[in-house]
Amino acid sequence: MVYVFSLGGSVILNETGEYNNEYIIQFRHFLKNIEGRKIIVVGGGKKARDRISKSGTKNNFENDVIGIKSAYENAQYLSNIIGLPCIKMDMDAIENLPESFVTSGVFPGLTTDSVAVLLAEKFGAPFFNITNVDGIFTKDPKKYKDAQFLKSVKIDHAIEIASLADKRKAGTHVFLDIFSLLMIKRSGIKTIICSNNLENLSNLIHNSKGKCTEIK
Ligand code: UTP
C-alpha cells in the first residue's frame, strides 16, 4: 500500500514561523505505525508567505520560485527529523524514487498539494491533505461561527468553489487548487482533507473512521 500525505506548511510551522518540533516528532512516530510506502509532500507555510511578501517583486514566477525554495527547506528539515530521504522532484528523480521519502514543490504555477496529487496518481494511492482545519466548511470557520462542516463534497462542486477562490497567485491558499482538483477528477484519486490530529488520521487510515472531508 502507498500513502501520499500533503503536509501543509501551517502544520509544521507555528504562527511565528518556527518549526513545530513536538509535532514533527509525533509525526515520525505516526509514520512508524503505518505499514507500506509513505510519501510526504511538505508545504511552504508562513516561511514562504513571509519571503514572498518581502521579495520586492510582483513577478509571480519569481515569487513561486521563492515559495518552492522555502517549501524545500521545510522538507529537508522534516526529512532530517523523521529519517526519510528528501527528494528534489524532477523527471530523473521520478524514475528512481526510494521506497518512502519526503519532497515538496516542483515548478512555478503549481503547489505542493498538486505535487502530492500527481504522486498519488502515479502510485494509485490515496491522497491525504493534512491541514490546520478539520476539512472543508461552507465558509471560513476561523471567520464565521455559522460555517458548516462538509463530510463529503462532489468533485465538480469542489472545482466550482475553487474556481472562485483560486487566483494562482504566489503564496495564496485555497483548500485545494484547481489543477489538483482536475487531476483528482481525471483519475478518481481518493482524496481526504483532514486536520493535523494524528490519532484522527490514524483512524482514517486504519478503519476509515474519523473527522474529514472526502472529495468524491
Ligand atoms: P505551497 O502552496 O504548496 O505551500 O507552497 P502552502 O501554501 O504554504 O501550503 P500550505 O498552507 O502549507 O498547505 C508555497 C508556494 O510555493 C509556490 C507557490 O507560490 C505556493 O504558493 N510553489 C509551490 C510553486 O510555485 N510550485 C510548486 O510546485 C510548489
Side-chain angles (χ1 to χ4, degrees):
M1 185 75 186
V2 185
Y3 298 93
V4 177
F5 303 102
S6 179
L7 196 56
S10 58
V11 174
I12 64 158
L13 293 162
N14 62 28
E15 276 151 28
T16 53
E18 279 142 22
Y19 288 110
N20 193 345
N21 288 319
E22 206 181 314
Y23 184 80
I24 297 173
I25 288 166
Q26 286 167 9
F27 192 73
R28 181 177 68 192
H29 291 304
F30 155 81
L31 288 176
K32 286 215 171 102
N33 290 323
I34 309 284
E35 292 281 335
R37 201 166 174 181
K38 288 149 279 195
I39 300 173
I40 303 105
V41 186
V42 182
K46 185 167 162 52
K47 182 181 281 193
R49 278 187 288 278
D50 281 356
R51 289 182 183 169
I52 289 169
S53 69
K54 289 184 195 144
S55 72
T57 175
K58 291 208 168 4
N59 183 302
N60 277 301
F61 188 102
E62 298 302 341
N63 282 328
D64 278 347
V65 170
I66 292 168
I68 292 169
K69 286 183 178 164
S70 308
Y72 191 70
E73 275 177 37
N74 292 342
Q76 280 178 312
Y77 189 88
L78 187 95
S79 132
N80 281 331
I81 296 184
I82 67 175
L84 289 176
C86 188
I87 303 296
K88 208 167 229 172
M89 198 59 69
D90 61 24
M91 290 317 288
D92 288 335
I94 219 148
E95 283 170 13
N96 295 293
L97 290 171
E99 174 81 6
S100 294
F101 59 94
V102 178
T103 188
S104 64
V106 171
F107 203 76
L110 294 176
T111 64
T112 49
D113 286 340
S114 41
V115 175
V117 168
L118 289 170
L119 287 166
E121 182 177 56
K122 171 174 168 59
F123 290 106
F127 161 57
F128 293 86
N129 191 9
I130 307 170
T131 179
N132 57 3
V133 287
D134 287 327
I136 303 179
F137 290 77
T138 48
K139 305 176 194 174
D140 183 348
K142 298 214 157 113
K143 286 191 199 147
Y144 303 95
K145 281 211 169 119
D146 62 338
Q148 282 168 359
F149 182 70
L150 302 169
K151 281 188 176 171
S152 75
V153 174
K154 292 243 180 321
I155 182 67
D156 286 330
H157 187 207
I159 291 171
E160 225 173 86
I161 304 170
S163 15
L164 298 173
D166 185 1
K167 305 285 180 234
R168 292 267 30 91
K169 207 168 176 303
T172 56
H173 191 73
V174 262
F175 64 95
L176 266 180
D177 59 278
I178 290 282
F179 176 79
S180 298
L181 290 164
L182 291 175
M183 296 302 105
I184 288 167
K185 182 172 178 176
R186 82 168 178 179
S187 293
I189 298 163
K190 184 177 169 68
T191 298
I192 301 288
I193 302 178
C194 62
S195 77
N196 60 359
N197 182 321
L198 295 174
E199 202 183 322
N200 184 60
L201 182 56
S202 187
N203 283 333
L204 287 166
I205 289 172
H206 291 121
N207 52 30
S208 298
K209 286 200 177 119
K211 191 154 191 179
C212 70
T213 300
E214 181 163 2
I215 296 185
K216 292 185 168 178

